[in-house]
Amino acid sequence: MATAALRSQVAAKWHEGFNRLNRSEPGISGLLSFSQAWNIATDYLHPRDISDPTSVKHHDLPSVKASFDLINRSRRLPVMLETFLDDICDQYHLIVRDIEQYLAEYEESADTSVILRLVFRLVEWYRAWAPIDELGPTIRAAYTLTFQTQLFSILPPAFVRGFKALCASTLVPVAQLAPPMWEAFEVLGLTDRYEGIIASVGYERIEDYVRETCTGRWDKPCLEELRVWMTEQIVPWMLPMYAKGAGNTEDARGMLQNVGSRFDFHMNKTLCDLRTSEIFDIIIDFPDSNGALQDLKECLQRVDQRSSLVQALRKANRKRLLHPGADTKLILSQYVATIKCLRIVDPPGVLLFKVADPIRRYLRERPDTIRSIVANLVGDDDSGDSLVDENEPIQPLQQLETEDYNDPHWDPEPIDAGPDFRTNKPSDVISTLVSIYDSKDLFVKELQVLLAQRLLAITDDNFEKVEKERRNIEILKIRFGEAALQVCEVMLRDMTDSKRIDGHVQSQKASIVHPTIISRHFWPSLESSDIVMPGQFQALQTQYAKEFSTFKPDKKLRWLPHLGTVHLELQLEDRTIETDVPPLEAAFIELFSEKNTWTMDELIEGVGAVDRTAALKALITWIDLGVLKEDEENTFRLLEVTEEAAPSSRTAPTASETPTVTAAQQQQADQMRLYWKFIEGMLTNLGSLPLDRIQTMLRFAPGYDQTVEQLARFMEAARREGLVVGRDGMWKLNR
Amino acid sequence: MKVTVKHWHAVAQWRWDTGAEAEGNDENEDVCGICRVPYEGCCPSCKMPGDDCPLIWGECTHVFHMHCLLKWIGTPASKQQCPMDRRTWVTAERKIGNS
Amino acid sequence: MEQLTTSLAPPRANPKPSVTNSSQQVAGSVAKRLTNELMTLMMSSSPGISAFPKSDGNLFEWVGTIEGPAETIYAGLSFRISISFPANYPYVAPAIKFDTPCFHPNVDITSGAICLDILQDKWSAVYSVQTILLSLQSLLGEPNNASPLNTDAAAVWDTPDAFKAQLMKYYRPLKDTA
């Protein structure tokens, strides 16, 4: 039905359209049909299998561009993009196949280069599928997003492991191939995606390195060295990742600052953790571990690990130090080392206070703590290790309890100081040790006991020892005060006087007796004894005492027969024995010179009175020397002629270590009775009193050394016994 | 058997020979009535016992640390009397040897 | 009276010699002797007498307590006294007075002053707090009516009922005052 007019009209229209399509080119050379263009474009974009060489198609780039242009002008580009992205998803199985292959190989070989190849392979995929740049950044971005989203959704955990290993492998030593690898990561978006993993590689490397190089190495500080290592090894490694796009080193430094300080923090923390775990042994090693302590101090300022340090050390102390198997001396020296070490780490002393508290409480409960401290003070320690530094200035004991508000150097207490924190600022070690106890009296008493023992052990031909003790006491006077050691002064003078008196007595009438003549009341309560020395011994005593009283007419001697040493020679039928023995041994053997066989009871009677344990111990001395034999139980015979040594039926009674000097602590029970008398006295006259008042008033009681807590327990016990009544914190007698 | 003592390092205490002392009993000891410190201790103004802080005997047989008694005699309240029996104090010549 | 006090003079036994006790930092020999006396007093068990320093800072001011001796008119009553030691004790007697009003021929009822020879001209350096307390305790039952400080009391001493009435009129029981 078409008219010519209509046809011409359509022809004109078509021509116009054709011209447009053909870009007014002559003929049809410029013409491309839309369907043709679509086909060319989609074929070009279609994600191909790069493993399949046949899939490689050679496109005529101008016509591809023309096709895209046509599609673009036809406003069909979005549809095409959608199709393209769908194709990507559809074809991703090709990549998955590749990934599986590589990962299988990696699982087998554990070779990180496989992962690296995989990464490069993925880049290949990415590049192969990428649309041409002419399509503009939007399409490019959409493609990258889709590719990466797909990639991340299908990457299995095995890849993540491999990836981490790969990163790590580039650290030791820093690999040459690093830059292309980082570029590949960047292309695939792995850097952002796995930032945490990459960082953890760095952290772990730091941890490993710190442990490898610093464990057990305490003599020199490590931190500086570690920082150099960080700068030389870790920072270059971090550059491609954290300083990408940095134009120059200045820029790079700025970009790295933040992450760098995170790494530095991690290094500090690692070292801090390491030193915390080693702290007990570091303290044992002190002062050879000074470097480690310097590091710890610096680390703690950066990392808040103070409480875990305290916990670790307390735990180690509990486990390794504060148990019955540890020697008191060891505990003391570790405590002293702890004091010194923690003062380096934390000069205000909060850490020390927290750590020291359990040690001090433990030491207070040990019976031989005071003795050990005092023994060390006077250099009576077998170990020879003095708790006190030779070069630490000797200073008077310091009171730690009171805070001096007039102190111009006063600082507020650190924030983690507890309410019961006591600053122990520059106090010396001895003051700290003495302050374990509430009063220094116990020390002074123990000091007297120890000095007495040592002085009485000195024989007259060894007088330098007395001088040594004198020098010791001079030093201790500075610490404990002149008055406290006045008694020791008298003891020392007794030693000098004894020597002088003996010199005089010997010049008048020579004697083999050389007594130490002591002043009663000034020597610690010496255990008394009722031994009467028999035979020639008594004669020797009497003779000497007579000469003494001639020299000192207003004085007389009272012998302490159980003390001292006798050097004897025994002439037996077939042998002569020369030996040093305590007086009781000498007394017994003297009896045997009268007759050859004695029963235990006869012997005891022969020396006045002595307890059986001590007697047996003395007799065993002679049995062991082959001088006596116990033929039947409790009957002893002198061996004028050596007899075959029969296996000794006797072993020394174990509990026979009879101390010649009564230990200060044994007086404790008597002291408590004394304290009660004082409490009774004050409550009688002063009415009812609060506990703290009773505590302060008790300082009138000689040697009062109880804490207010101990007093509270004591009052509670008195209340249960109906002696006192306590109401509203006031105590009064129950009358 | 013959026992020969070659050397004896013995230990003894010195005591003032107050003449009246019973041997043996260690707990009962005499103190100076004025300062209440044992004779073998020293008076409050001394630091060293013994020859540095001697005793003084009265004709009345009472014994004090010399320093304590002289100080008492020096006070008007003493009227120069022995603080123990209020007899006029006369220092005794020291009896030497046994009493 | 004098016989009694002299027989009380120095105790032979001293539980622990004080020379070895270094605890008392209170300077001076007087403090030393007072510490010693306190110790002796605490350790001796003389019934009905007691004394203790008033405060921990001052060894020279004591509070004493005397119970009236049994079978005297003062039986069952307790009296507080205050004792003040001079710096040259024991060469000079301490100053002593009753804090609890004590109706007694030798005690001033208002000031508490005591007329007792050993506290005045008969003082001796060998006396002690314990001697004084014991003397005061026996003075309660055996007043010296020859030289009364309280003439009213001396006057009614021989009529126990009247005396007791006066005594109780003035007497104030001890209170628990810290």
Side-chain angles (χ1 to χ4, degrees):
Chain A
M1 285 288 264
T3 62
L6 183 66
R7 273 194 212 105
S8 76
Q9 209 175 350
V10 169
K13 204 98 182 147
W14 188 88
H15 195 74
E16 190 204 329
F18 174 81
N19 270 344
R20 200 170 71 226
L21 280 170
N22 207 26
R23 297 174 206 173
S24 307
E25 295 284 326
I28 57 161
S29 59
L31 176 70
L32 202 58
S33 79
F34 179 77
S35 53
Q36 255 182 317
W38 180 266
N39 285 340
I40 290 171
T42 48
D43 183 60
Y44 174 80
L45 281 180
H46 185 71
R48 62 189 184 83
D49 181 357
I50 59 171
S51 318
D52 179 5
T54 61
S55 72
V56 182
K57 279 174 272 180
H58 296 284
H59 291 279
D60 169 37
L61 221 54
S63 71
V64 170
K65 282 180 182 167
S67 301
F68 280 122
D69 187 47
L70 180 65
I71 292 165
N72 187 24
R73 274 183 290 130
S74 310
R75 299 191 167 71
R76 284 295 177 272
L77 214 48
V79 182
M80 194 197 64
L81 181 63
E82 214 166 290
T83 315
F84 168 58
L85 295 181
D86 282 348
D87 281 351
I88 297 271
C89 296
D90 288 347
Q91 289 297 97
Y92 223 90
H93 64 90
L94 296 170
I95 297 181
V96 172
R97 189 193 62 199
D98 250 16
I99 291 174
E100 278 168 358
Q101 229 168 22
Y102 278 93
L103 285 181
E105 190 189 340
Y106 172 68
E107 295 279 286
E108 193 130 311
S109 64
D111 181 358
T112 50
S113 71
V114 177
I115 300 292
L116 185 63
R117 276 191 284 119
L118 170 57
V119 168
F120 288 144
R121 178 69 174 172
L122 288 170
V123 172
E124 261 181 80
W125 282 104
Y126 172 80
R127 295 223 162 99
W129 290 5
I132 50 164
D133 294 336
E134 281 80 352
L135 286 179
T138 319
I139 287 180
R140 183 81 183 194
Y143 161 71
T144 305
L145 180 67
T146 306
F147 187 90
Q148 291 183 357
T149 310
Q150 283 292 314
L151 180 64
F152 298 149
S153 74
I154 54 98
L155 279 177
F159 174 79
V160 181
R161 282 200 301 278
F163 176 75
K164 193 172 169 185
L166 172 64
C167 293
S169 74
T170 62
L171 254 171
V172 245
V174 175
Q176 291 307 312
L177 50 87
M181 181 189 83
W182 288 108
E183 273 160 35
F185 288 174
E186 201 53 46
V187 168
L188 295 173
L190 295 174
T191 321
D192 289 339
R193 169 79 178 174
Y194 292 125
E195 190 187 343
I197 286 173
I198 298 170
S200 78
V201 165
Y203 289 154
E204 281 166 28
R205 176 69 197 125
I206 289 172
E207 286 165 23
D208 289 346
Y209 184 79
V210 168
R211 284 197 206 99
E212 274 164 34
T213 57
C214 303
T215 302
R217 237 196 65 197
W218 304 325
D219 51 341
K220 292 194 183 65
C222 299
L223 262 182
E224 213 34 58
E225 241 172 76
L226 288 176
R227 290 220 175 89
V228 170
W229 172 78
M230 278 269 279
T231 314
E232 285 173 0
Q233 305 285 309
I234 300 292
V235 172
W237 178 80
M238 293 190 307
L239 271 174
M241 176 170 49
Y242 293 107
K244 56 193 173 204
N248 51 44
T249 45
E250 260 326 288
D251 282 0
R253 190 168 299 144
M255 292 165 95
L256 279 175
Q257 199 153 49
N258 193 22
V259 61
S261 93
R262 254 161 52 210
F263 274 70
D264 186 66
F265 179 88
H266 195 72
M267 189 187 73
N268 274 280
K269 183 174 182 317
T270 306
L271 186 61
C272 195
D273 286 346
L274 175 66
R275 294 302 183 229
T276 298
S277 71
E278 296 175 320
I279 186 70
F280 188 85
D281 294 292
I282 289 176
I283 292 172
I284 289 181
D285 246 33
F286 187 80
D288 295 338
S289 55
N290 196 34
L293 295 163
Q294 296 296 346
D295 279 346
L296 193 53
K297 176 183 182 178
E298 207 178 326
C299 288
L300 281 176
Q301 280 161 359
R302 188 130 160 64
V303 188
D304 183 25
Q305 297 279 92
R306 290 164 64 93
S307 65
S308 59
L309 178 68
V310 168
Q311 272 167 17
L313 188 50
R314 282 175 73 137
K315 194 173 161 207
N317 282 340
R318 222 171 26 243
K319 218 170 117 200
R320 297 177 60 183
L321 193 66
L322 308 179
H323 57 77
D327 196 53
T328 303
K329 266 191 307 202
L330 177 86
I331 301 177
L332 281 171
S333 63
Q334 181 74 354
Y335 176 38
V336 169
T338 305
I339 294 170
K340 292 176 181 163
C341 291
L342 292 188
R343 270 200 203 134
I344 293 174
V345 173
D346 172 50
V350 179
L351 296 184
L352 175 60
F353 179 75
K354 290 182 173 176
V355 170
D357 196 46
I359 305 178
R360 293 166 66 85
R361 267 188 280 121
Y362 185 83
L363 281 170
R364 213 174 303 162
E365 280 162 21
R366 279 218 164 192
D368 59 341
T369 300
I370 294 186
R371 179 153 293 192
S372 299
I373 295 172
V374 170
N376 196 292
L377 274 184
V378 300
D380 193 27
D381 213 333
D382 332 324
S383 68
D385 282 342
S386 182
L387 296 174
V388 195
D389 281 339
E390 298 283 316
N391 36 18
E392 188 171 312
I394 301 158
Q395 43 184 319
L397 289 183
Q398 296 173 8
Q399 296 295 324
L400 301 179
E401 291 83 39
T402 49
E403 222 174 317
D404 183 4
Y405 292 103
N406 299 322
D407 181 0
H409 304 295
W410 185 86
D411 281 321
E413 284 165 4
I415 43 166
D416 57 347
D420 49 354
F421 171 70
R422 293 183 298 184
T423 38
N424 52 6
K425 266 178 273 192
S427 82
D428 64 328
V429 168
I430 294 303
S431 297
T432 312
L433 289 179
V434 171
S435 73
I436 291 176
Y437 298 86
D438 292 302
S439 107
K440 68 176 182 184
D441 287 10
L442 284 172
F443 284 87
V444 173
K445 274 188 197 155
E446 202 62 47
L447 202 63
Q448 291 164 5
V449 169
L450 201 75
L451 183 67
Q453 280 172 342
R454 289 154 63 92
L455 289 179
L456 289 183
I458 295 174
T459 47
D460 52 347
D461 52 347
N462 204 345
F463 218 74
E464 307 94 77
K465 283 190 182 165
V466 178
E467 287 313 310
K468 194 179 149 239
E469 298 298 344
R470 190 185 303 283
R471 283 194 297 277
N472 254 331
I473 293 296
E474 287 302 325
I475 292 170
L476 290 170
K477 264 195 208 162
I478 303 174
R479 296 193 191 283
F480 289 92
E482 190 106 10
L485 293 180
Q486 181 55 36
V487 170
C488 298
E489 204 59 38
V490 174
M491 286 158 69
L492 288 167
R493 213 208 39 186
D494 282 347
M495 295 301 290
T496 327
D497 283 357
S498 299
K499 192 177 160 66
R500 194 168 46 79
I501 291 165
D502 191 51
H504 179 87
V505 170
Q506 300 291 346
S507 73
Q508 297 302 305
K509 193 166 178 27
S511 168
I512 46 89
V513 185
H514 301 276
T516 299
I517 300 167
I518 65 175
S519 296
R520 198 185 182 193
H521 309 305
F522 292 86
W523 291 65
S525 45
L526 298 159
E527 201 178 78
S528 66
S529 159
D530 297 321
I531 305 176
V532 177
M533 295 300 280
Q536 57 175 318
F537 290 104
Q538 185 139 39
L540 287 166
Q541 284 177 335
T542 313
Q543 180 62 42
Y544 197 98
K546 198 172 150 238
E547 284 301 328
F548 173 82
S549 292
T550 310
F551 181 42
K552 299 266 175 192
D554 48 359
K555 289 187 194 144
K556 56 190 181 182
L557 284 187
R558 186 162 183 279
W559 297 97
L560 300 170
H562 57 301
L563 300 175
T565 323
V566 190
H567 186 79
L568 288 178
E569 187 189 80
L570 311 182
Q571 282 167 288
L572 294 140
E573 263 175 41
D574 63 341
R575 64 202 187 282
T576 302
I577 290 170
E578 217 173 297
T579 181
D580 281 317
V581 287
L584 183 60
E585 272 86 336
F588 280 152
I589 212 65
E590 175 73 3
L591 292 175
F592 278 94
S593 68
E594 291 168 25
K595 65 170 184 167
N596 279 1
T597 307
W598 293 75
T599 66
M600 173 83 94
D601 292 333
E602 288 170 332
L603 285 167
I604 289 175
E605 212 191 312
V607 296
V610 64
D611 79 87
R612 293 183 80 85
T613 321
L616 185 60
K617 187 175 167 264
L619 289 166
I620 286 172
T621 306
W622 293 120
I623 292 173
D624 287 347
L625 286 167
V627 176
L628 295 183
K629 190 175 177 188
E630 190 176 18
D631 284 331
E632 51 189 277
E633 197 166 320
N634 292 325
T635 303
F636 300 86
R637 179 169 56 88
L638 178 70
L639 301 179
E640 275 289 1
V641 178
T642 316
E643 282 180 19
E644 200 64 22
S648 175
S649 57
R650 292 283 199 185
T651 46
T654 45
S656 66
E657 265 318 302
T658 43
T660 42
V661 180
T662 316
Q665 267 144 348
Q666 285 169 7
Q667 299 168 3
Q668 210 67 335
D670 289 343
Q671 287 288 38
M672 289 318 287
R673 272 192 292 282
L674 170 74
Y675 301 154
W676 167 247
K677 291 286 190 188
F678 274 78
I679 293 169
E680 199 180 20
M682 70 180 82
L683 293 180
T684 301
N685 294 290
L686 306 174
S688 56
L689 293 174
L691 192 67
D692 54 345
R693 193 78 198 288
I694 298 176
Q695 175 76 1
T696 51
M697 294 295 261
L698 270 170
R699 71 184 201 88
F700 287 127
Y704 183 73
D705 58 1
Q706 306 291 296
T707 62
V708 71
E709 290 79 18
Q710 285 170 314
L711 175 67
R713 284 198 291 278
F714 184 79
M715 294 305 289
E716 207 37 57
R719 189 188 59 75
R720 282 196 297 276
E721 284 184 38
L723 296 169
V724 290
V725 188
R727 187 178 300 151
D728 302 330
M730 301 292 278
W731 294 92
K732 61 174 193 172
L733 291 175
N734 187 14
R735 287 229 162 120
Chain B
M1 175 183 62
K2 185 169 184 291
V3 177
T4 314
V5 184
K6 295 272 193 177
H7 184 274
W8 182 6
H9 171 227
V11 179
Q13 287 174 342
W14 62 265
R15 298 285 174 90
W16 291 114
D17 187 1
T18 53
E21 199 178 321
E23 271 299 317
N25 197 342
D26 217 26
E27 291 309 306
N28 257 0
E29 59 180 300
D30 285 323
V31 301
C32 166
I34 298 174
C35 69
R36 311 265 155 173
V37 174
Y39 290 143
E40 279 90 12
C42 50
C43 81
S45 41
C46 283
K47 283 181 172 173
M48 289 288 175
D51 295 343
D52 290 352
C53 185
L55 300 187
I56 190 166
W57 279 259
E59 286 288 0
C60 55
T61 75
H62 292 125
V63 186
F64 302 93
H65 285 133
M66 186 176 79
H67 302 142
C68 298
L69 184 93
L70 293 182
K71 197 167 173 189
W72 165 248
I73 293 297
T75 65
S78 74
K79 306 185 183 91
Q80 314 285 308
Q81 292 163 343
C82 168
M84 213 65 104
D85 59 15
R86 300 197 168 280
R87 297 208 316 237
T88 302
W89 178 265
V90 182
T91 304
E93 281 302 308
R94 212 12 225 122
K95 296 157 284 179
I96 288 177
N98 54 351
S99 55
Chain C
M1 194 63 233
E2 185 169 323
Q3 216 173 11
L4 171 74
T5 47
T6 25
S7 70
L8 285 169
R12 271 178 68 86
N14 199 15
K16 283 274 172 228
S18 65
V19 275
T20 50
N21 293 321
S22 52
S23 67
Q24 300 305 325
Q25 293 301 315
V26 265
S29 57
V30 187
K32 218 168 177 178
R33 153 133 184 181
L34 287 172
T35 309
N36 196 329
E37 277 201 43
L38 180 62
M39 177 80 180
T40 313
L41 189 64
M42 290 301 111
M43 294 314 286
S44 74
S45 37
S46 311
I49 58 158
S50 178
F52 208 83
K54 214 178 267 184
S55 73
D56 60 306
N58 187 355
L59 204 45
F60 289 75
E61 300 291 334
W62 290 26
V63 177
T65 309
I66 299 170
E67 288 174 21
E71 296 173 22
T72 67
I73 204 148
Y74 295 92
L77 304 182
S78 290
F79 296 89
R80 277 276 136 80
I81 60 169
S82 52
I83 308 167
S84 184
F85 296 95
N88 48 357
Y89 181 79
Y91 300 101
V92 171
I96 300 196
K97 67 180 190 66
F98 274 88
D99 287 342
T100 308
C102 180
F103 188 72
H104 185 280
N106 305 112
V107 179
D108 186 277
I109 192 69
T110 42
S111 70
I114 304 160
C115 178
L116 178 63
D117 55 357
I118 65 155
L119 293 178
Q120 281 100 29
D121 58 328
K122 291 285 171 60
W123 172 254
S124 159
V126 298
Y127 293 156
S128 66
V129 178
Q130 198 176 10
T131 334
I132 295 164
L133 291 173
L134 285 170
S135 302
L136 284 174
Q137 197 184 31
S138 65
L139 182 71
L140 287 177
E142 306 160 34
N144 178 1
N145 282 313
S147 58
L149 210 55
N150 182 340
T151 45
D152 294 351
V156 290
W157 176 253
D158 292 327
T159 48
D161 286 348
F163 190 91
K164 180 82 180 187
Q166 287 295 303
L167 174 61
M168 295 316 289
K169 193 180 100 188
Y170 290 106
Y171 181 73
R172 298 283 174 272
L174 302 187
K175 277 185 292 190
D176 286 331
T177 47

